């Protein structure tokens, strides 16, 4: 099992990643709305979107909501948004220093 359920469902990697990012953003927004104790109407007012858009987010009907739009809602809500791309960071040892891999052959 991967950390991306859409990969596990057989989606191509690029589509699985986009679906996973979209769903993560929507879940964070839904959790934020719940923590604030907002009704859908109150959330719509605060985030400056129509109430049916909030309904889509809280009910998981997000296939027509773009990642860009969801990021904009996160920013409006004051939630942190970050992106990591490229190579994964090198593993760190317990001391916090980068782990180095030495080959057994002399250079």
């Amino acid at each position: 099992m991967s950390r991306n359920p859409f990969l596990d469902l057989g989606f191509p990697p690029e589509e699985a990643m986009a679906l996973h990012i979209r769903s993560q953003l929507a879940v964070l927004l839904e959790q934020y709305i719940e923590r604030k104790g907002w009704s859908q109407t109150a959330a719509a007012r605060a985030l400056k979107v129509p109430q049916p858009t909030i309904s889509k987010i809280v009910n998981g009907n997000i296939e027509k909501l773009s990642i860009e739009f969801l990021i904009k809602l996160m920013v409006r809500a004051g939630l942190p948004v970050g992106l990591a791309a490229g190579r994964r960071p090198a593993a760190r040892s317990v001391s916090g220093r980068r782990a180095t891999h030495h080959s057994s052959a002399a250079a």
Side-chain angles (χ1 to χ4, degrees):
M1 262 176 124
S2 72
R3 295 174 69 181
N4 183 334
F6 298 101
L7 274 176
D8 298 337
L9 290 170
F11 286 92
E14 63 278 6
E15 187 175 354
M17 182 57 67
L19 290 167
H20 190 55
I21 290 169
R22 182 181 294 123
S23 66
Q24 287 178 318
L25 292 169
V27 165
L28 289 169
L29 284 164
E30 179 185 7
Q31 290 171 345
Y32 178 76
I33 290 166
E34 189 174 310
R35 272 195 317 275
K36 292 294 242 179
W38 286 341
S39 66
Q40 289 185 17
T41 303
R45 193 175 307 117
L47 297 175
K48 300 179 175 102
V49 296
Q51 181 275 328
T53 300
I54 299 299
S55 178
K56 288 176 186 172
I57 292 168
V58 300
N59 291 311
N61 299 322
I62 58 170
E63 58 278 346
K64 293 185 179 180
L65 302 178
S66 72
I67 291 170
E68 180 180 3
F69 176 74
L70 293 169
I71 289 171
K72 288 177 181 180
L73 291 183
M74 295 276 293
V75 172
R76 284 182 196 165
L79 296 169
V81 178
L83 176 67
R87 292 179 34 182
R88 294 175 191 248
R92 294 196 180 262
S93 67
V94 175
S95 69
R97 294 186 180 160
R98 285 189 185 264
T100 56
H101 300 283
H102 299 284
S103 65
S104 58

